[in-house]
Amino acid sequence: MAYSTSDALETIVREANQHLANFVPTWASWMNLHTDKAAAMRRWSNHGVAALKTWNGTATISEATGAASSSREQTVTPDGFASKVTVSDFDSRFQAGSVERAARGLLEGFERRLEATAYSMLETAFTADQVDSGGSTDYVISATSCYVDADGTGTYETAQSNLLSAALSSATLSTSRQMLLEAKLPNGDPAGKGRGPLVLIVAPQNAAIARKLVESPEQLSADATGNLNPNYGANISVIVSSHLTVDPDDWFLVEAGGGVGSPCNMWIADTPKIWQNTTSAGAIELCASAWLNAWIDTPPTGIIGSNVS
């Protein structure tokens, strides 16, 4: 049956918008979702207050060194994305379901854009700049991803790495967990990462080995410690994404999202929407648009990336 009233089109658009609202992306477990309706977001990471110093109860309390200074600053703006599908007057009248198919295609396009944005953020972190308040530049995932004030003087003199360059294996996964556990805040205190839950993110070609590494009580091959898998029971879930395309051997270990754990963020700056227009030729135009961005808070404690060469 052909559509003859605008009410039918409005029903399709309303159902499409409801679908968008209920969509659960694959990155939901390792990213923090923001929905602030704004033209820009300002993000900064303070040096922070180190563990409280000893005090006898009567002496003047000493100032926490560098507590009010900022170690990293970011300004994030949303990127716009939109597509249109035009259904001719003839097709809308005589091709059953043509308008619904167009709406469904736009929905799928939006979902793919969300997925692509999230995983592209991971892939570009090996070459994306972060600038500290002193003006020096380092990559988000690198051997110098964070500088630590190890002696409490307010000077960031010790480099900290969140980068590996080896293929996924029992040993490299164990190393990445150790790096998370050893990670420090800019003030030199332990960051409290790596205790779980964690998310191991891989491309399809590493899906099988990733699941064996976290789900099997025995190692793939025995080593000096025997057959026990040190990563079994470590509260690690596996996410497999075909959007990791720059180098399918690359992999990432990330703190789970939803709070202070993961440094990874997805910002949908306004409600994604789909709407319809009718042209003078009687064609039906279905449009979908979204404003969003994804980024990693810096300094990026809570994520380890392996850029496999």
Side-chain angles (χ1 to χ4, degrees):
M1 164 175 188
Y3 294 103
S4 58
T5 68
S6 61
D7 291 341
L9 293 178
E10 290 171 2
T11 299
I12 293 172
V13 171
R14 185 167 58 250
E15 291 176 351
N17 279 324
Q18 185 61 46
H19 178 91
L20 290 178
N22 295 331
F23 171 62
V24 179
T26 64
W27 44 261
S29 63
W30 57 273
M31 297 190 82
N32 304 305
L33 178 62
H34 305 268
T35 56
D36 307 65
K37 189 172 182 178
M41 291 180 66
R42 184 70 166 165
R43 308 281 290 184
W44 64 90
S45 176
N46 287 338
H47 178 88
V49 178
L52 297 184
K53 300 177 181 180
T54 57
W55 182 52
N56 62 10
T58 60
T60 300
I61 299 175
S62 59
E63 183 74 21
T65 304
S69 63
S70 175
S71 61
R72 289 290 190 271
E73 300 174 0
Q74 297 168 274
T75 298
V76 184
T77 57
D79 296 326
F81 301 94
S83 290
K84 178 178 71 174
V85 177
T86 302
V87 181
S88 70
D89 178 68
F90 181 91
D91 286 344
S92 68
R93 291 174 180 274
F94 303 112
Q95 295 292 332
S98 58
V99 178
E100 291 100 323
R101 286 194 297 273
R104 190 180 307 115
L106 288 171
L107 287 173
E108 293 171 352
F110 169 70
E111 293 168 1
R112 283 192 287 269
R113 168 48 56 193
L114 276 178
E115 295 289 298
T117 299
Y119 294 99
S120 174
M121 176 202 70
L122 291 178
E123 293 180 311
T124 58
F126 296 119
T127 56
D129 290 339
Q130 55 168 324
V131 180
D132 66 22
S133 55
S136 63
T137 302
D138 303 283
Y139 293 144
V140 175
I141 297 181
S142 68
T144 55
S145 64
C146 177
Y147 285 91
V148 176
D149 176 17
D151 55 9
T153 62
T155 301
Y156 307 113
E157 71 281 346
T158 303
Q160 182 172 268
S161 175
N162 63 351
L163 174 68
L164 293 172
S165 58
L168 182 62
S169 68
S170 177
T172 55
L173 181 56
S174 295
T175 298
S176 65
R177 289 177 54 211
Q178 179 181 342
M179 292 169 71
L180 284 177
L181 288 165
E182 293 177 343
K184 297 184 182 300
L185 299 172
N187 63 27
D189 278 356
K193 307 296 184 180
R195 295 173 294 183
L198 305 173
V199 182
L200 177 61
I201 304 169
V202 299
Q205 70 182 43
N206 278 327
I209 186 173
R211 297 199 180 279
K212 289 178 182 178
L213 288 175
V214 303
E215 296 175 2
S216 172
E218 295 185 352
Q219 294 205 85
L220 298 181
S221 59
D223 60 13
T225 62
N227 289 317
L228 180 64
N229 180 5
N231 299 301
Y232 177 69
N235 200 7
I236 303 174
S237 59
V238 175
I239 296 291
V240 180
S241 177
S242 57
H243 289 281
L244 291 174
T245 57
V246 173
D247 186 344
D249 282 324
D250 292 347
W251 56 275
F252 305 84
L253 186 66
V254 187
E255 291 271 334
V260 298
S262 173
C264 301
N265 301 274
M266 175 66 75
W267 178 25
I268 302 177
D270 197 6
T271 305
K273 65 180 180 180
I274 182 170
W275 69 95
Q276 108 251 339
N277 299 309
T278 302
T279 71
S280 59
I284 296 171
E285 296 177 339
L286 287 174
C287 305
S289 69
W291 291 88
L292 54 97
N293 205 340
W295 76 93
I296 298 174
D297 282 334
T298 58
T301 54
I303 181 171
I304 305 295
S306 188
N307 189 6
V308 182
S309 56

